[in-house]
């Protein structure tokens, strides 16, 4: 919950993505070695019942593009986290 109150820096997006991965690992889904975030996203969406395309793209842009997240990207990440909270 504390994460949802943060301003949305690059490290917040990375931490959000790690939380999504942790939740998926509890559901028995984990990325294979060498699997890209986009490839894993397609497989994980079936397991999670959530469309995580936008949060995954935001993570990739921030992580690999070394860019700051936009306000819209941070809102997308927060929505994904809220959806996870409801499922826990």
């Amino acid at each position: 919950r504390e994460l949802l109150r943060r301003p949305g820096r690059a490290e917040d997006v990375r931490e959000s993505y790690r939380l999504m991965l942790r939740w998926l690992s509890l559901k028995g889904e984990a990325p294979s070695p060498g699997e890209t975030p986009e490839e894993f996203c397609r497989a994980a969406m079936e397991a999670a019942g959530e469309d995580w395309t936008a949060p995954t793209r935001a993570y990739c842009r921030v992580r690999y593009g070394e860019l700051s997240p936009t306000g819209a990207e941070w809102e997308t990440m927060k929505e994904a986290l809220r959806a996870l909270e409801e499922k826990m």
Side-chain angles (χ1 to χ4, degrees), residues 4-63:
L4 296 175
R5 287 179 257 157
R6 292 184 188 169
R9 300 174 308 248
E11 56 266 17
D12 300 331
V13 169
R14 289 191 297 269
E15 184 175 344
S16 299
Y17 189 77
R18 281 191 298 272
L19 288 172
M20 291 168 35
L21 290 178
R22 190 174 308 139
W23 182 82
L24 284 165
S25 72
L26 295 172
K27 297 290 184 185
E29 295 292 325
S32 300
E35 188 172 33
T36 68
E38 291 92 352
E39 291 167 340
F40 179 64
C41 176
R42 286 190 286 277
M45 284 192 303
E46 292 178 21
E50 295 285 335
D51 183 356
W52 286 350
T53 305
T56 300
R57 284 185 182 148
Y59 166 76
C60 288
R61 190 175 105 42
V62 169
R63 169 68 175 88

Side-chain angles (χ1 to χ4, degrees), residues 1-8 15-17 19-20 23 48 50-52 55 71-88:
R1 291 190 179 259
E2 177 188 329
L3 182 59
L4 296 175
R5 287 179 257 157
R6 292 184 188 169
E15 184 175 344
S16 299
Y17 189 77
L19 288 172
M20 291 168 35
W23 182 82
E50 295 285 335
D51 183 356
W52 286 350
E73 287 171 330
W74 180 231
E75 286 303 315
T76 296
M77 294 304 287
K78 291 194 305 187
E79 287 173 20
L81 290 174
R82 285 186 194 106
L84 283 180
E85 280 185 343
E86 291 176 9
K87 292 181 180 231
M88 292 183 154

